[in-house]
Structures are given as C-alpha cells and as structure tokens.
Amino acid sequence: MSTFDFALEGLTRVPGVESAMVVSAEDGLVVGEASMGGVDTAAVAALSASLHARIGEMAAAAGRQPPLVAHLEASQGGLLIVPAGEGLLLVAVAHSDANLGLLRLALRAASERLA
C-alpha cells in the first residue's frame, strides 16, 4: 500500500465521505484517489487546485498566510481542501451528513503523513 493509499484510506473511513484525492497543486492532476463513484475526480481536482491558488492570492492580498483548510459548503454536502506536503493538496468530497470535525482531523493526519 502506497503512502497516498494509506492517507486516502483514513479519509474514506470517515462516514459521509464520498471521495478523497491527492492532487497536484501546480497543475490540478489527480495523483491518487479513493472514490465511491458519482464524482468526476479529474474535474474536482483541477478546480480544487485553481480554487486553492485563488484563495491563497486573496489571503496574501489581505496580508494573511495561505489557508490551512478551505471548506465549501453546499446544500447537499461540501468540499474540503488541505495543503499536504510540497506541491500537493488533499481534497475530500462529503455528503451533508458527514462529521466535518472528524473529517478535518482525518485531513490533518493525512496531510502530516504526506508532508
């Protein structure tokens, strides 16, 4: 089992997580994924990398450090993006009933494994 697989397995064990990915922050390509289906992981990865870059620019414009977590919340669930090591992002797609506190802890642990 690769380091990516190990990190992603911890995320997909969180109830309500539909998909988890390791994404290249530079080009938005999927480096590793664990998906339950129904998620266009390539599109989510590309858009997550772009969003993370834009949020970083916004934080810099406000005189702040890059975010530790980006969380988008929608009526049917959410998306969380966390930096994970040099040039990588962890992305999790979750249902609205997911335990977000537990997911954030799992994302932090997974990002430390990849750092």
Side-chain angles (χ1 to χ4, degrees):
M1 182 179 285
S2 76
T3 304
F4 294 146
D5 292 336
F6 186 67
L8 293 171
E9 181 183 355
L11 297 176
T12 57
R13 285 186 185 175
V14 175
V17 172
E18 189 175 351
S19 183
M21 294 160 265
V22 179
V23 176
S24 167
E26 183 178 340
D27 55 20
L29 294 176
V30 176
V31 177
E33 69 179 284
S35 182
M36 310 317 177
V39 174
D40 183 349
T41 55
V44 170
L47 293 167
S48 294
S50 177
L51 177 64
H52 186 265
R54 298 295 174 254
I55 290 173
E57 291 170 7
M58 183 175 57
R64 302 293 182 257
Q65 295 294 316
L68 300 175
V69 177
H71 177 188
L72 296 175
E73 186 175 345
S75 61
Q76 295 179 336
L79 176 99
L80 287 89
I81 307 168
V82 175
E86 195 64 34
L88 296 176
L89 302 170
L90 279 170
V91 178
V93 179
H95 294 287
S96 59
D97 62 349
N99 182 331
L100 296 179
L102 186 58
L103 179 54
R104 287 175 75 119
L105 288 173
L107 282 163
R108 180 176 296 178
S111 70
E112 289 173 1
R113 283 189 203 106
L114 297 176

